Every structure is written in C-alpha cells, then in structure tokens.
C-alpha cells in the first residue's frame, strides 16, 4: 500500500495535536483540581453539582440572615434588660415612698426621681436599631415609637413583628412591638383590681387580693361602700353590682372587721384601717395599661398627697395600685425577654444545623467535582511520555526519503 508524504504529515499532525490537547486538559485539571472542566465532561454530575451549589449558596445566605437576626435580637434583649432595671429602681422608690414618716418635700424628691426614670424608660423604648429605624415601632420602622403626653405616652407604631428568613422553612421575629412590651400590662392582680375612690375621708387601705373562685368571676364593676352609724359607732359595708340599672345589691350591711377578707363573686381582698362613713372602693376587671400611664399617675399621686390621715391613706392605696402595675409591667418585660432569649437559642441551633449542612454540601461537591490527583498525575506522566514518543517517531519518519539513497 502506498502512503503519500502528505498523508503522513497530516496524520502525524492530527495525532500530535490530539496528544497535546489531552495533555493540556489534564494539566488544567491539575491546576484547578477539578475533574469537570465543562458540562460536557459529565452532564449528570454537572447538573447535580449546579443544584448542590445553589443549595449551598442559599444555606450561606441563611447563615448571614441568622447573624443579622442575632444582632437585632441582641439589641432588643439589651433594651429589655435596661427596662427591667429601670422598673426595679422605680419599685424600690415606691417602697420608700410608702414610709409614713416622709415629708411632702421627701415625696416630691421621690416623684422627681421617678419622673427621671420614666424619661429614661421612654428613651429605651425609643431605642434605634442602628440602621436608621427603631426597635419597637413594629412595621413602621422609621416612626418613633412613643411620644410623651400628659397622661403618659402615646404609641405611634403598629403591632407588627419584623421577621427574617433564617432557614428553608423558618422565619423568626427579630423585633417586638412597643405596644406589646410597654402597654400590655394588666392592672390589679391580673383578673380584677380594687381602686380607691377619690374623696374618701377615712384611713381604709385595700389589699391587692386574689381570685377565690375563677368560675364565679363575672367581669362586672362593683362598688364597695362603708356606713358608720349608731352609738357606739358600728361600721358596715355593702357591695353593689353596677352592671345592672339600677345597681343590684350583692352584699348588704356586712359587719366590717379590720383586715378580714371580703369575698364575693370569686373575688377576695381585705380592707385595713378605719373607713369613714361614705368611703368607697371600686372593684372592676383588670385592664391593659401603659407603664408610662402607671408612672405618670404615680408621680401625680406623690405630688398631690397631703399630710392628713385621709390623704395618706389615699396615697397608700394609690401606691399599692402603682406597685401592682409596675409588677405587671416587669413581668411582661421578663416574658418578652424570655421569648427573645428562646429565639436567640433557636438561632444557635439553626447555626449548628446549617454548619453541618454546609459540610454535607462541600462533601457532595467534592465527590462530584474534585479531581483524583494521584490518578491525574499518573495520566499526565503517561500522556507526556506518549507525546514525546510520538514526536520522536514523527521526526524519524519525516526524515526518511528515497533521495537519501540515490548516489
């Protein structure tokens, strides 16, 4: 068979190009440590690698979101901690104000100090989130949550909780509304409250009381009125239910004993001291009250209190009411703070599982994409030897010619 010189050169060139191309490809694999340089190398593995890469990127974004959520919740937790400290300071001042030996000047000083604590608390409630917004204004992030009013403060935000996607199937609240924190406080004992009526002339003081039978609570408004009559004077009390028109009697002319429990319709509380004829107390369902309203009323009660026994008794009743409101406010803040803590703990768990998931994604991508380096080096050496042999053989073949033998 005759082979033309042209065919020899073309075939040799094609083979050398192929060998060089294969060697260059192996060298690129070694340089990038990737088995697949293009999708054509392994279409199925390439598609799977793209899917895993997208999932890995999403997992990394969730990790970033969790970090941002942790930062926001840390700010909320810090603000709640400061709020709790301020309320405990105010509770201490209320205990001091209950000292019967204090003068009006002393009470005015305590009132001024409580007023300062209220301004501090409002500053905490209006804490910035560090990005130009406010922590406790709900969805209305750029609106200042609270502004001071004559009766306390007015909430300007809404009830929303801003949320952030921190997992493939989990969104977590990174804020709480100021209304839920500072205005969601139950008066009295949480079920009902006993409130002194302004104008009482005696020294009667009502205790907080408790629920004696929850099934008998009616949610009605009652009036407890004292009567002092006879010689010697005998003190009795009557209770009327104001939910009917006219008011209906619940208890009539019951003998009053200092400190003895008064119970009706599931409520139970005591009255101490010496009530005067016509003195009244209201017994009504607990309602929500802003902590700023509680503190404003407390300041006013301290400044308005007189020195006579009746005025001191009225102040004592109002201090008890304020103490109940402050306790409810502190309990509510601690409840929200516990919720924030549980969310931060959940983020820690999600971080741990997200880290494990990231390791799994890396392992899967390694199996799909990474190069077997030992095998590739061996292949590269073989290809190099083959190319050198081909080059030498081509050189030898190309040097053969009949003209070399013609003398």
């Amino acid at each position: 068979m005759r082979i033309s010189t042209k065919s020899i050169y073309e075939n040799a060139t094609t083979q050398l190009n192929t060998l060089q191309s294969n060697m260059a490809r192996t060298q690129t694999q070694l340089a990038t440590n990737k088995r697949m340089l293009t999708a054509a190398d392994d279409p199925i593995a390439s598609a799977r690698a793209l899917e895993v890469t997208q999932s890995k990127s999403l997992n990394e974004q969730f990790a970033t979101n969790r970090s941002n959520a942790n930062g926001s919740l840390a700010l909320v937790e810090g603000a709640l901690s400061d709020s709790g400290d301020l309320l405990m300071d105010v509770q201490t001042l209320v205990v001091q104000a209950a000292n019967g030996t204090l003068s009006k000047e002393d009470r005015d000083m305590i009132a001024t100090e409580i007023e300062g604590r209220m301004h501090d608390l409002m500053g905490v409630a209006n804490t910035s989130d560090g990005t130009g917004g406010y922590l406790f204004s709900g969805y209305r992030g750029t609106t200042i949550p609270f502004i001071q009013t004559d009766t306390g403060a007015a909430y300007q935000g809404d009830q929303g909780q801003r949320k952030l996607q921190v997992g493939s199937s989990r969104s977590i609240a990174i804020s709480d509304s100021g209304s839920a924190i500072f205005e969601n406080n139950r008066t009295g004992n949480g079920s009902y409250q006993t409130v002194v009526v302004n104008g009482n002339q005696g020294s009667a003081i009502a205790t907080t009381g408790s629920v004696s039978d929850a099934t008998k609570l009616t949610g009605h408004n009652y009036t407890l009125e004292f009567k002092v009559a006879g010689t010697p004077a005998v003190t009795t009390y009557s209770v009327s239910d104001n939910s009917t028109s006219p008011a209906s009697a619940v208890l009539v002319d019951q003998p009053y004993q200092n400190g003895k429990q008064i119970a009706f319709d599931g409520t139970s509380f005591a009255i101490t001291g010496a009530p005067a004829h016509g003195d009244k107390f209201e017994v009504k369902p607990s309602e929500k009250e802003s902590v700023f309203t509680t503190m404003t009323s407390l300041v006013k009660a301290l400044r308005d209190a007189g020195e006579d026994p009746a005025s001191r008794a009225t102040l004592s009743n109002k201090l008890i009411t304020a103490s109940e409101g402050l306790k409810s406010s502190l309990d509510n803040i601690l409840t929200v703070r516990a919720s924030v803590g549980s969310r931060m703990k959940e983020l820690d768990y999600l971080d741990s599982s997200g880290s494990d998931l990231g390791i799994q994604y890396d392992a899967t991508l390694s199996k799909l994409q990474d190069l077997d380096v030992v095998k590739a080096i061996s292949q590269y050496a073989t290809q190099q030897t083959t190319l050198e042999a081909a080059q030498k053989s081509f050189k030898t073949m190309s040097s053969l010619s009949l003209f070399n033998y013609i003398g």
Side-chain angles (χ1 to χ4, degrees):
M1 181 178 62
R2 298 177 62 185
I3 300 175
S4 67
T5 302
K6 180 181 179 183
S7 296
I8 292 174
Y9 276 90
E10 287 178 349
N11 290 336
T13 301
T14 300
Q15 291 171 354
L16 289 174
N17 286 338
T18 300
L19 291 172
Q20 286 179 326
S21 177
N22 291 338
M23 186 174 175
R25 182 178 182 280
T26 303
Q27 192 278 331
T28 303
Q29 288 178 320
L30 286 168
T32 59
N33 195 33
K34 298 295 182 183
R35 179 176 65 86
M36 298 180 297
L37 300 179
T38 66
D41 295 335
D42 190 338
I44 295 177
S46 295
R48 175 60 179 156
L50 179 60
E51 179 184 344
V52 174
T53 300
Q54 291 174 336
S55 298
K56 180 184 176 183
S57 297
L58 193 59
N59 186 56
E60 291 172 349
Q61 183 59 55
F62 286 146
T64 301
N65 288 358
R66 287 192 293 271
S67 178
N68 294 336
N70 248 323
S72 296
L73 290 175
L75 289 175
V76 173
E77 201 277 337
L80 293 176
S81 176
D82 293 340
S83 299
D85 292 342
L86 287 168
L87 287 180
M88 285 189 284
D89 286 346
V90 174
Q91 286 181 315
T92 301
L93 292 171
V94 170
V95 174
Q96 293 178 8
N99 188 337
T101 63
L102 294 180
S103 65
K104 179 171 177 56
E105 290 73 18
D106 294 331
R107 291 193 295 270
D108 286 342
M109 287 171 42
I110 292 175
T112 300
E113 194 168 352
I114 291 175
E115 197 170 38
R117 295 290 189 278
M118 183 176 69
H119 292 155
D120 292 340
L121 184 61
M122 189 168 296
V124 173
N126 290 333
T127 298
S128 170
D129 62 5
T131 59
Y134 297 92
L135 284 180
F136 303 121
S137 56
Y139 293 134
R140 302 177 67 181
T142 58
T143 301
I144 188 168
F146 291 94
I147 57 173
Q148 189 169 356
T149 64
D150 292 339
T151 58
Y155 181 59
Q156 305 297 301
D158 58 30
Q159 306 302 315
Q161 280 186 304
R162 281 166 277 175
K163 294 186 177 182
L164 197 59
Q165 187 82 17
V166 294
S168 58
S169 59
R170 181 69 173 104
S171 294
I172 201 164
I174 61 172
S175 70
D176 290 272
S177 73
S179 178
I181 297 172
F182 300 102
E183 295 187 323
N184 193 29
N185 311 308
R186 302 287 295 178
T187 56
N189 59 23
S191 296
Y192 67 90
Q193 55 181 326
T194 305
V195 183
V196 65
V197 176
N198 289 330
N200 282 0
Q201 299 300 311
S203 60
I205 300 173
T207 63
T208 300
S210 60
V211 176
S212 59
D213 189 345
T215 62
K216 293 183 180 180
L217 292 176
T218 62
H220 296 173
N221 293 333
Y222 301 88
T223 298
L224 170 67
E225 183 174 0
F226 289 95
K227 182 189 297 184
V228 181
T231 304
V234 176
T235 303
T236 59
Y237 65 88
S238 299
V239 176
S240 57
D241 185 344
N242 300 323
S243 62
T244 61
S245 182
S248 57
V250 178
L251 297 174
V252 178
D253 293 337
Q254 299 295 308
Y256 168 71
Q257 296 181 30
N258 187 0
K260 183 180 179 180
Q261 292 290 313
I262 298 174
F264 58 90
D265 290 351
T267 65
S268 178
F269 57 93
I271 301 290
T272 61
H277 181 77
D279 282 358
K280 295 179 181 180
F281 287 87
E282 290 183 350
V283 182
K284 54 186 180 181
S286 295
E287 54 191 14
K288 292 182 180 180
E289 182 177 86
S290 167
V291 64
F292 300 110
T293 299
T294 301
M295 295 175 74
T296 300
S297 299
L298 173 59
V299 169
K300 185 176 187 303
L302 287 169
R303 287 177 173 162
D304 291 347
E307 299 295 337
D308 58 284
S311 295
R312 288 183 176 273
T314 298
L315 175 61
S316 295
N317 279 298
K318 291 183 177 181
L319 288 177
I320 291 173
T321 299
S323 182
E324 292 169 347
L326 292 171
K327 180 181 181 299
S328 176
S329 299
L330 182 58
D331 289 343
N332 188 54
I333 285 175
L334 292 176
T335 299
V336 177
R337 190 176 177 187
S339 172
V340 171
S342 68
R343 279 175 262 168
M344 295 177 75
K345 188 68 174 177
E346 183 179 358
L347 287 174
D348 290 340
Y349 286 128
L350 289 172
D351 268 336
S352 179
S353 61
S355 178
D356 292 341
L357 191 59
I359 293 173
Q360 293 179 11
Y361 287 144
D362 288 337
T364 301
L365 285 174
S366 178
K367 291 179 181 178
L368 292 171
Q369 295 179 325
D370 286 359
L371 182 68
D372 186 339
V373 178
V374 174
K375 180 180 178 181
I377 291 175
S378 176
Q379 184 178 3
Y380 183 80
T382 300
Q383 290 171 335
Q384 185 179 27
T385 301
T386 302
L387 178 60
E388 290 174 352
Q391 289 172 336
K392 289 179 181 179
S393 63
F394 175 66
K395 179 180 178 183
T396 301
M397 182 178 292
S398 62
S399 65
L400 295 176
S401 175
L402 290 175
F403 293 103
N404 293 335
Y405 299 98
I406 297 175

Short mmCIF file of all heavy atoms in Angstrom, two decimals, residues 325-345:
data_model
loop_
_atom_site.label_atom_id
_atom_site.label_comp_id
_atom_site.label_asym_id
_atom_site.label_seq_id
_atom_site.Cartn_x
_atom_site.Cartn_y
_atom_site.Cartn_z
N GLY A 325 -49.20 47.70 89.12
CA GLY A 325 -48.95 47.98 87.70
C GLY A 325 -47.50 47.80 87.32
O GLY A 325 -47.18 47.26 86.26
N LEU A 326 -46.59 48.25 88.19
CA LEU A 326 -45.16 48.10 87.91
C LEU A 326 -44.75 46.63 87.91
O LEU A 326 -43.93 46.21 87.08
CB LEU A 326 -44.35 48.87 88.95
CG LEU A 326 -44.46 50.40 88.89
CD1 LEU A 326 -43.80 51.03 90.10
CD2 LEU A 326 -43.83 50.93 87.60
N LYS A 327 -45.31 45.85 88.84
CA LYS A 327 -45.01 44.42 88.86
C LYS A 327 -45.48 43.74 87.59
O LYS A 327 -44.78 42.91 87.00
CB LYS A 327 -45.67 43.76 90.08
CG LYS A 327 -45.41 42.25 90.19
CD LYS A 327 -46.10 41.66 91.39
CE LYS A 327 -45.83 40.17 91.50
NZ LYS A 327 -46.32 39.41 90.32
N SER A 328 -46.70 44.10 87.15
CA SER A 328 -47.22 43.54 85.90
C SER A 328 -46.35 43.93 84.72
O SER A 328 -46.06 43.11 83.83
CB SER A 328 -48.66 44.02 85.68
OG SER A 328 -49.16 43.57 84.45
N SER A 329 -45.89 45.18 84.71
CA SER A 329 -45.03 45.65 83.62
C SER A 329 -43.71 44.89 83.60
O SER A 329 -43.22 44.49 82.54
CB SER A 329 -44.75 47.16 83.77
OG SER A 329 -45.95 47.90 83.72
N LEU A 330 -43.13 44.71 84.79
CA LEU A 330 -41.86 43.98 84.87
C LEU A 330 -42.04 42.53 84.45
O LEU A 330 -41.21 41.98 83.72
CB LEU A 330 -41.31 44.06 86.30
CG LEU A 330 -39.95 43.38 86.53
CD1 LEU A 330 -38.89 43.97 85.62
CD2 LEU A 330 -39.54 43.52 88.00
N ASP A 331 -43.15 41.91 84.89
CA ASP A 331 -43.42 40.52 84.49
C ASP A 331 -43.57 40.42 82.98
O ASP A 331 -43.09 39.46 82.36
CB ASP A 331 -44.70 40.02 85.17
CG ASP A 331 -44.51 39.78 86.66
OD1 ASP A 331 -43.35 39.70 87.11
OD2 ASP A 331 -45.53 39.67 87.38
N ASN A 332 -44.24 41.40 82.39
CA ASN A 332 -44.44 41.38 80.94
C ASN A 332 -43.11 41.53 80.21
O ASN A 332 -42.85 40.83 79.22
CB ASN A 332 -45.39 42.49 80.53
CG ASN A 332 -45.78 42.41 79.07
OD1 ASN A 332 -46.26 41.39 78.60
ND2 ASN A 332 -45.56 43.49 78.33
N ILE A 333 -42.25 42.43 80.70
CA ILE A 333 -40.94 42.62 80.08
C ILE A 333 -40.10 41.35 80.20
O ILE A 333 -39.42 40.94 79.25
CB ILE A 333 -40.22 43.82 80.71
CG1 ILE A 333 -40.84 45.12 80.19
CG2 ILE A 333 -38.72 43.80 80.41
CD1 ILE A 333 -40.30 46.38 80.83
N LEU A 334 -40.17 40.70 81.35
CA LEU A 334 -39.42 39.46 81.54
C LEU A 334 -39.95 38.36 80.61
O LEU A 334 -39.17 37.54 80.10
CB LEU A 334 -39.50 39.01 83.00
CG LEU A 334 -38.78 39.91 84.02
CD1 LEU A 334 -39.02 39.41 85.44
CD2 LEU A 334 -37.29 39.96 83.71
N THR A 335 -41.26 38.36 80.40
CA THR A 335 -41.85 37.36 79.48
C THR A 335 -41.36 37.59 78.06
O THR A 335 -40.96 36.64 77.36
CB THR A 335 -43.38 37.45 79.53
OG1 THR A 335 -43.83 37.15 80.85
CG2 THR A 335 -44.01 36.45 78.55
N VAL A 336 -41.37 38.85 77.62
CA VAL A 336 -40.88 39.16 76.27
C VAL A 336 -39.39 38.86 76.17
O VAL A 336 -38.92 38.32 75.16
CB VAL A 336 -41.16 40.64 75.92
CG1 VAL A 336 -40.58 40.97 74.55
CG2 VAL A 336 -42.65 40.92 75.94
N ARG A 337 -38.66 39.17 77.23
CA ARG A 337 -37.22 38.90 77.23
C ARG A 337 -36.94 37.41 77.13
O ARG A 337 -36.01 36.98 76.43
CB ARG A 337 -36.59 39.48 78.50
CG ARG A 337 -35.07 39.48 78.49
CD ARG A 337 -34.50 40.15 79.72
NE ARG A 337 -33.06 40.10 79.73
CZ ARG A 337 -32.30 40.48 80.74
NH1 ARG A 337 -32.88 40.97 81.84
NH2 ARG A 337 -30.98 40.38 80.68
N ALA A 338 -37.76 36.60 77.82
CA ALA A 338 -37.61 35.15 77.72
C ALA A 338 -37.88 34.68 76.29
O ALA A 338 -37.21 33.78 75.77
CB ALA A 338 -38.55 34.46 78.70
N SER A 339 -38.89 35.31 75.65
CA SER A 339 -39.19 34.96 74.26
C SER A 339 -38.02 35.30 73.34
O SER A 339 -37.67 34.53 72.45
CB SER A 339 -40.45 35.71 73.81
OG SER A 339 -40.68 35.55 72.42
N VAL A 340 -37.40 36.47 73.57
CA VAL A 340 -36.24 36.87 72.78
C VAL A 340 -35.10 35.88 72.99
O VAL A 340 -34.42 35.46 72.04
CB VAL A 340 -35.80 38.30 73.14
CG1 VAL A 340 -34.45 38.64 72.49
CG2 VAL A 340 -36.85 39.30 72.70
N GLY A 341 -34.90 35.48 74.25
CA GLY A 341 -33.85 34.51 74.55
C GLY A 341 -34.07 33.18 73.86
O GLY A 341 -33.12 32.56 73.36
N SER A 342 -35.33 32.73 73.82
CA SER A 342 -35.62 31.46 73.16
C SER A 342 -35.37 31.55 71.65
O SER A 342 -34.91 30.59 71.03
CB SER A 342 -37.07 31.05 73.43
OG SER A 342 -37.98 31.92 72.78
N ARG A 343 -35.64 32.73 71.07
CA ARG A 343 -35.37 32.91 69.64
C ARG A 343 -33.87 32.91 69.37
O ARG A 343 -33.41 32.34 68.37
CB ARG A 343 -35.99 34.22 69.17
CG ARG A 343 -37.49 34.13 68.87
CD ARG A 343 -38.06 35.49 68.51
NE ARG A 343 -38.71 36.11 69.66
CZ ARG A 343 -39.08 37.37 69.70
NH1 ARG A 343 -38.84 38.17 68.67
NH2 ARG A 343 -39.67 37.87 70.76
N MET A 344 -33.11 33.54 70.24
CA MET A 344 -31.65 33.54 70.07
C MET A 344 -31.09 32.12 70.23
O MET A 344 -30.16 31.72 69.51
CB MET A 344 -31.01 34.49 71.09
CG MET A 344 -31.39 35.95 70.89
SD MET A 344 -30.70 37.07 72.12
CE MET A 344 -28.98 37.14 71.57
N LYS A 345 -31.67 31.36 71.16
CA LYS A 345 -31.25 29.96 71.33
C LYS A 345 -31.58 29.16 70.09
O LYS A 345 -30.78 28.32 69.64
CB LYS A 345 -31.95 29.37 72.56
CG LYS A 345 -31.46 27.99 72.94
CD LYS A 345 -30.04 28.03 73.45
CE LYS A 345 -29.59 26.68 73.98
NZ LYS A 345 -28.18 26.69 74.42
#
